[in-house]
């Protein structure tokens, strides 16, 4: 059982609302990721972080922003939600291996977001 | 950009049969990983194979890697209904780069 948590698990909100999806891990991993995934489809990397005060955009353009003030916490914020943001958001973390290459990722259970 | 491409996109088999999924990728890698995702959940790491390895086993899972063909296969032997899930391959290039996931194979095991 991976020690990575996401809240809320489900969220239904109206257009224009500001929301923050929470992600926390207790494994001391320095690297964390956010993915967006539509049901039954591929994962798209939207943000990742090498460590505290470090954030990078992923392959998929996203209107969301992230912050990394503490190692264990990597929240994702949407300033103004739209129906096109309806999707599942998955958070993951990984730690560096002996060969200095990141090895397996541990995933949280996901947040399913619906914007009406 | 997607690195891995799984094949087939969907697979339906009877319980007890073996399931084989393939993954092809484009650039050189340090390691390749396979993950499972049950419907509506996060992904779970199954197995990692490094670029200097050719085959790896874990329980009923067998993974092969052919770096000359830039391909990998995942074999699940004696499948069970509980194996029903989507399976993704993911690659790690040399250096400090994120995992790149393929599009996944949806496996259905019918009891």
């Amino acid at each position: 059982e991976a020690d990575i948590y996401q809240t809320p698990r489900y969220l239904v909100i109206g257009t224009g609302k500001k929301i923050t999806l929470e992600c926390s891990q207790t494994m001391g991993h320095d690297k964390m990721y956010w993915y967006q995934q539509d049901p039954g489809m591929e994962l798209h990397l939207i943000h990742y972080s090498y460590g505290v005060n470090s954030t990078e955009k992923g392959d998929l353009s996203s209107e969301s922003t992230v912050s990394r003030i503490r190692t264990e916490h990597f929240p994702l914020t949407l300033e103004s939600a739209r129906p096109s943001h309806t999707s599942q958001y998955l958070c993951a973390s990984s730690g560096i291996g002996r060969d200095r290459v990141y090895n397996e990722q541990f995933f949280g259970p996901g947040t399913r977001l619906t914007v009406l | 950009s997607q690195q891995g491409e799984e094949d087939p996109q969907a697979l339906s088999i009877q319980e007890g049969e073996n399931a084989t999924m393939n993954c092809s990728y484009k650039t050189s890698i340090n390691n390749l990983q396979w993950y499972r995702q049950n419907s509506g959940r996060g992904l779970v790491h199954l197995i990692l194979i490094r670029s200097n390895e050719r085959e790896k086993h874990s329980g009923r899972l067998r993974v092969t890697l052919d770096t000359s063909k830039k391909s990998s296969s995942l074999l699940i032997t004696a499948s069970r209904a509980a194996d029903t899930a989507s399976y993704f391959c993911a690659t790690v290039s040399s250096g400090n780069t994120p995992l790149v996931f393929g599009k996944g194979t949806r496996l259905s095991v019918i009891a």
Side-chain angles (χ1 to χ4, degrees):
Chain A
E1 190 87 10
D3 296 318
I4 180 163
Y5 309 98
Q6 290 186 245
T7 57
R9 292 292 312 279
Y10 303 92
L11 181 60
V12 181
I13 59 167
T15 297
K17 298 291 186 184
K18 177 181 179 179
I19 60 166
T20 295
L21 308 185
E22 301 287 348
C23 177
S24 296
Q25 50 96 6
T26 59
M27 296 172 283
H29 286 165
D30 54 344
K31 201 154 189 179
M32 296 187 73
Y33 316 79
W34 276 103
Y35 294 88
Q36 185 176 340
Q37 183 189 33
D38 292 327
M41 303 298 285
E42 63 212 86
L43 284 79
H44 293 284
L45 180 67
I46 50 176
H47 296 283
Y48 61 102
S49 167
Y50 289 108
V52 171
N53 295 325
S54 160
T55 61
E56 302 284 344
K57 289 187 182 294
D59 297 327
L60 181 69
S61 175
S62 173
E63 293 160 344
S64 58
T65 58
V66 291
S67 62
R68 190 88 182 275
I69 298 171
R70 303 197 315 265
T71 298
E72 62 272 21
H73 194 214
F74 191 41
L76 181 143
T77 298
L78 279 168
E79 291 292 333
S80 180
R82 295 206 303 270
S84 61
H85 295 138
T86 294
S87 189
Q88 174 158 267
Y89 292 84
L90 294 168
C91 180
S93 71
S94 65
I96 202 161
R98 288 175 302 173
D99 58 0
R100 307 298 297 171
V101 174
Y102 283 89
N103 294 323
E104 63 180 285
Q105 288 188 1
F106 295 87
F107 281 80
T111 294
R112 185 168 295 281
L113 173 66
T114 302
V115 184
L116 303 175
Chain B
S1 59
Q2 299 305 120
Q3 159 86 302
E5 286 281 339
E6 287 91 339
D7 169 57
Q9 290 186 349
L11 180 61
S12 184
I13 59 173
Q14 297 287 328
E15 204 166 32
E17 293 180 340
N18 295 341
T20 299
M21 289 159 269
N22 302 297
C23 171
S24 59
Y25 56 92
K26 299 187 177 83
T27 62
S28 63
I29 61 171
N30 176 279
N31 67 74
L32 184 145
Q33 303 174 33
W34 285 90
Y35 287 79
R36 184 187 73 226
Q37 183 181 36
N38 291 96
S39 180
R41 305 297 298 272
L43 279 72
V44 175
H45 182 265
L46 295 176
I47 196 165
L48 180 155
I49 186 166
R50 299 190 185 279
S51 60
N52 60 355
E53 297 175 313
R54 291 296 167 259
E55 188 171 310
K56 206 161 183 181
H57 297 256
S58 177
R60 293 184 296 113
L61 305 179
R62 173 178 169 253
V63 169
T64 62
L65 179 65
D66 187 336
T67 53
S68 66
K69 294 181 180 177
K70 292 187 170 57
S71 67
S72 173
S73 67
L74 170 68
L75 168 68
I76 304 174
T77 59
S79 63
R80 305 166 182 167
D83 295 327
T84 295
S86 290
Y87 291 82
F88 293 86
C89 70
T91 55
V92 177
S93 301
S94 300
N96 194 21
T97 55
L99 273 178
V100 180
F101 285 86
K103 295 182 179 180
T105 291
R106 285 177 291 284
L107 174 66
S108 296
V109 181
I110 303 164

